[in-house]
Amino acid sequence: MTTPVLTFARIRPALAREIEEHNQLNRCVARQPNQPVLHVATKPGEPVVIEADGSTSSADLRSFELDGVFDESSATPLVFESVAMPLVQSVLDGVNATILCYGMTGSGKTHTMLGEAGERCQGVVGLAASQLLKAAHESNARIEIEVGFVQLYGTATTDLLVDDAHAVHLRIARRHDEVLVEGQSRRPLTTEDDIDALIAEGCARRKVASQRLNSASSRSHAVLTFFVSVESSRDDDNDDSNSDDGTVALRCAKLVCVDLAGSERVKESGVSGTALKEAQAINLSLFHLIRVVQCLNERQGTHAQGVQAMLRVPYADSPLTMLLSDALGGNSKTALIATLSPSQEHASQTLGTCRFAEACRCVRNGSARVTTRRILRQRPWQGVDASAEAAKRKLANVRAQGDAARQLPWAGVQAGDASCCPGGRSNIGSISCLLYGDTATAPRGVAIALHGNPSDAEAMSWLAPALVHAGYVVVCPDMPGFGQTPALPSGRIGTRSEQACDPGGPADIVEGLLAALSARSGTLVGYDWGAGTALAMAASSKHKHLVESIVCMHPAFAKERVADELKTIRASVLIMWAEDNSFHSWPKFKPLAAKLKQRLGKGYTEYRTRRETDAEWSRSARSRVIIKFLTGVDPLPAAQQVVARPVHAALSADGTEIKSSHGVVFRSEVTDDMLHGIDQEAAACRALVEAEQANELGELLRDLAHAGGSARAAAMGRFARALPSLDDSSITPARLEALGLWSAEARSAAERLQAHVAGTPRYFVGRQLLIPGGINAIGELRSVDEPGDCAVVFVVHSGQEINLDVSWRELLLLNQRHALPTTANSAGASVLRLEDGMWADFSSPLLRAELARVALALEPVFAHDIARALDVGDEEELDCARGRAVCAMRSRLDVTSFARDGGTDRGRDRHRYAKDDVARMAAYGEGHCRTCSSCFAPFLWSFANLLAIDPHYCTDTGASHQWLQYETRPSMTAFVCDIYRDELTYQRTGQRGCLLCEPVTIAYAAPVTDSAGGNSHLFPQDVPLKLGGRRVESAPLCPTDVAMP
């Protein structure tokens, strides 16, 4: 025979905050006279009329039939008499019972269940204790009563009757068809004073917080359990109540009293920080409770229809539902008290509570049964164990914890360990690999460990436990002809670093592995040949977009295929070397390491030891260094530096909400946020975004550039110094997203663009090229003879179509992308040297702010325009999208020309004087064509890799005008970007941008007005000009740049 869950509603009196003007309360609940029916008006305004028969014509009313409804006039003893008294008697008869209080925060649950502090036995718990004690006093049978009191805070269950210093997380488990809290302490109950003291002690340890809806809001579910043992006169299995084995036959039952934490809407409670996380945990646990009730009702519905399939009830999804599995759907007698606010402002919460109560009323528990068993009498509670043995156990635990802190988290873990490093041998395409970790849950993506020569994947598997612990999926491939991967038909692949990027070589294999794992890029860890391959990939125009960071142990990198190609690496690099290794010479590699260090700055890390036998070169030492390099946190617990104090919500003595910053932190409480600290760069970027959205950033940058020592400029300077350093080597899609300047959509589009142009040629049949030799013409490339220094270009000159032989070297000087002259400041930061003595210092706070602002302006262009062009595969639209990106960059620079009225006049604004500083010029400056072009050049060059464009700094043969030019890859269509002439057009027409992305076929076809006011033919001179006394260099060709039949 099943028993129903009984449900009751209790309406509390209105609170002061719910009473509006003129002491008026807008009420939303009403009780049907003489019936256990509750009505809830869902909307304010006109009242809902209920007819005599209980019906209504309004759609704004919900009615619920329960087992009882108590209004504000009903005292707790009346509630107890109707709800709990029958359950207490059931417990004395040997049947388990449960009482739950459910409702929104501040609705009176704790008041109903536990009463108010200082009042004697006024809550349901206190009244139940009085009834149990009265029965024990009046009964002829021996009755023992013990009490346990625990709380469920988040996912942790702790004992409220144990001092915080000795509290441990308890486990909820099912034993002998009954749910138990293992390790829960119990105290004997002999007087009413005992229950009052016990409740006071437990409530003092219970998690509470003050918030907008409740000044003492419970942040945990409290569960107080009465364990009642009644000595039986007979045992079902044995007529003797006592036996010779020291046991006694007892009729055992428990009364579980549950004060649930209140559900809350964050917008109403106004919580934040720790309280917000607590609210989320509470709401999640209540959500699981609601799901359990729904599943029970669904299962009962299928039984009613004769369906035999058993639906799973998700008790195990939450500690709360696990603890209540006897009360809901089990063999317990259960009653629910739904506590309600009468205020209209909480109508939606009240409606949700009533719906839950109505659902619980449909739940049918199993038939109640009397539990009689033979057990040893439990020893009475004796407090904390203070014996010498307990002290020894505690000391041993402390030592064990200290030893653990001095061990790496993956110490003793072997590759393939099912729990810590799962995986093993697997084939990815034709490549045999050792694959470890879960590709679906690895937060840091893919790490590919490349073996040396001669060797195989097994030689790199020792790193797998560390990398998997750090959050990577680890792939250790056997290269063709090594290990278990068969050789290619042509034999083994080349093992020299300059062969790494050959077609079908190691770089292509790594690219295929990443593609098979659905990863756009990954981390490369290599030894010897594998390390050389990693460096070669990071320097290759075809493969560099695949590389996030590199770990190189004894890299076999003999030479650069292209001069200074290591200076093009953008990925962060860790070089590891044992100097006594006889096969790898550090002095030979040192010049290459210097190039990496010069290029990457803080992105370059070097780890060297004298001998391979040193402890610093052990596998554990190297794995620790590698994980610290990749994650930024030392994985050794004892060495971890907590850089940020934990901040928790707390209450002051007068009840004021405060934030408590803890100066003492226990190791067990250390979180990743405390180890990483506040990301100052990301925080500064967030502030910059907010200023831009408020249209205040331009004025702030102007203040920083020209306001001297004003307080506003000083404040802006402090803010800007926290911004990240951005230049062509550090600007990557992933970094811009991490800084909060870009969305995930913009990052995805940029990475797709990089993959789209990777390895595409710059010189191919049909490409339009500028022809050197002073003929000022544009032609189409037909063929190239590099050894013979000859190229054939089809050109229409003086009305004739001819195939023109030109010098290949001279053709490259005019058409190959430019590298601007760079020096270093005293701190080692890059400084661009530009025209008329101008310079761009990338360590300048002002330039950092302007580069971040430009990156922010590019975000929508990538997220929408470039992404859309890539989706449809339209190269012309892709070129136009990058033209819009150049215009977006220009829109963030407040620089104008000396010309006035469209070039008819000239003048100077002394407030715009920039002192040759590009950053100040960009913030609020003016100049002629040279300074305008030099001002925009650092921004165009910094974002050139991201935009997949090849920039040029141009001047005409008469040196009367300067402008910029760029080609878009992969089409290699050339555009003129003339800041000065575009500004003149803006002064005349009010329109800006048409001359920032003008095709060269148009720009170089007719004479234009130069900065001196005269007319000249716009066409760049054959040889790159000098900037700041230094020659602008043409970038060296990459191996994939020329693709001729």
Side-chain angles (χ1 to χ4, degrees), residues 535 566 569 575 592-601 604:
L535 285 174
L566 289 183
I569 290 180
I575 298 294
L592 299 178
K595 288 186 179 182
L596 288 171
K597 187 173 183 179
Q598 178 184 357
R599 166 66 174 173
L600 298 173
Y604 173 83

Side-chain angles (χ1 to χ4, degrees), residues 460-472:
M460 299 300 293
S461 63
W462 63 272
L463 259 176
L467 291 169
V468 169
H469 173 83
Y472 289 94

